Amino acid sequence: MKRILSRGYICIILLLMYLPIFILAVYSFTTSSQIGSIHGFSTENYKNLFGNGELRGMIIGTLLLAFGAAAISTILGSMGAIGAFYSGKMAKGYINTINQVPVVNADVVTGFAVCIALVVVWGIDKSTYIPLVAGHVVLCTPFVYLSVVPKLKQMDQSLYEAALDLGATPFKALKTVVIPQIMPGIISGFALALTLSLDDYFIASYTKPATFDTISTYVVNATKGSQTEIKTALWALSTVIFLVVMITVIIMNTAGKKAAVTDERNKG
């Protein structure tokens, strides 16, 4: 009975999580202009999504921003994690504490603070995209740090020391010994940073140029307008994003399981 109840509970939770997405996906393949009544089957929403120059430019711009911010955040977060890990107890505690601030801080506060610091205090023009990229880097870097630190703790420290004893420089030992062992954490941090950047609304709304929109800011503005064609095309966009994320997660989990099996065989 406990097993049945636990499985039933899990099924209810999954249903509540994924049913709205499934409904949205169904409507994206119809001619309906609003949720509530399903009409005929159609792929017009997907044609509008990929055929509309404004939507296509917004998607490409959002992806470029996300990949760029994720790459910078991965470099900074990984360097910070490695530096903190090999630092003294006091410095490590200080860095860990500082890293927690952007994690627990509200995105509204982070976006507003970045806007004030860069645009108002330093006088950087928002049309340069610097405040927008900086805001996303501030948002994503702490999460990369948190993804890399556990891998550093799991690493066999004797390998790094052995590399130094065999004549390797600290940089070469870092490149050939440390980084390969923490690479899963770096990849996970990059994927998490990419997701956070794509999902962000508040920081982008405060720091973006007036002529630029991310997916989040565009969706919010589109829902306030009266362009039905755009709204229904965004149903298709939501479906595509969900499918891409789901496929990515499946691939990463499969690769992780294969790597774990390979490690067990090598140890055996």
Side-chain angles (χ1 to χ4, degrees), residues 95-136:
I95 295 172
N96 286 334
T97 302
I98 293 297
N99 186 75
Q100 295 295 328
V101 175
V103 174
V104 300
N105 202 14
D107 289 353
V108 178
V109 178
T110 301
F112 195 54
V114 171
C115 183
I116 291 177
L118 298 183
V119 178
V120 179
V121 177
W122 290 356
I124 298 176
D125 191 354
K126 286 174 67 176
S127 62
T128 60
Y129 293 92
I130 293 177
L132 177 61
V133 175
H136 278 222

Side-chain angles (χ1 to χ4, degrees), residues 24-25 150:
L24 191 65

Side-chain angles (χ1 to χ4, degrees), residues 61-164:
T62 303
L63 291 174
L64 290 175
L65 170 65
F67 276 98
I72 297 172
S73 299
T74 301
I75 294 172
L76 295 178
S78 300
M79 290 173 59
I82 294 171
F85 184 76
Y86 288 105
S87 296
K89 186 176 181 180
M90 183 176 294
K92 184 185 298 184
Y94 176 76
I95 295 172
N96 286 334
T97 302
I98 293 297
N99 186 75
Q100 295 295 328
V101 175
V103 174
V104 300
N105 202 14
D107 289 353
V108 178
V109 178
T110 301
F112 195 54
V114 171
C115 183
I116 291 177
L118 298 183
V119 178
V120 179
V121 177
W122 290 356
I124 298 176
D125 191 354
K126 286 174 67 176
S127 62
T128 60
Y129 293 92
I130 293 177
L132 177 61
V133 175
H136 278 222
V137 170
V138 170
L139 170 69
C140 300
T141 300
F143 292 92
V144 177
Y145 178 97
L146 293 176
S147 297
V148 175
V149 166
K151 293 299 179 183
L152 285 166
K153 292 179 179 179
Q154 295 171 9
M155 184 180 65
D156 186 357
Q157 298 302 315
S158 61
L159 295 178
Y160 177 74
E161 295 172 359
L164 295 179

Side-chain angles (χ1 to χ4, degrees), residues 173-205:
L174 174 67
K175 184 176 67 173
T176 58
V177 177
V178 176
I179 292 180
Q181 292 194 69
I182 66 172
M183 187 56 67
I186 295 175
I187 294 173
S188 298
F190 176 82
L192 182 57
L194 187 66
T195 304
L196 288 169
S197 180
L198 289 172
D199 185 59
D200 172 69
Y201 168 73
F202 291 105
I203 293 176
S205 64

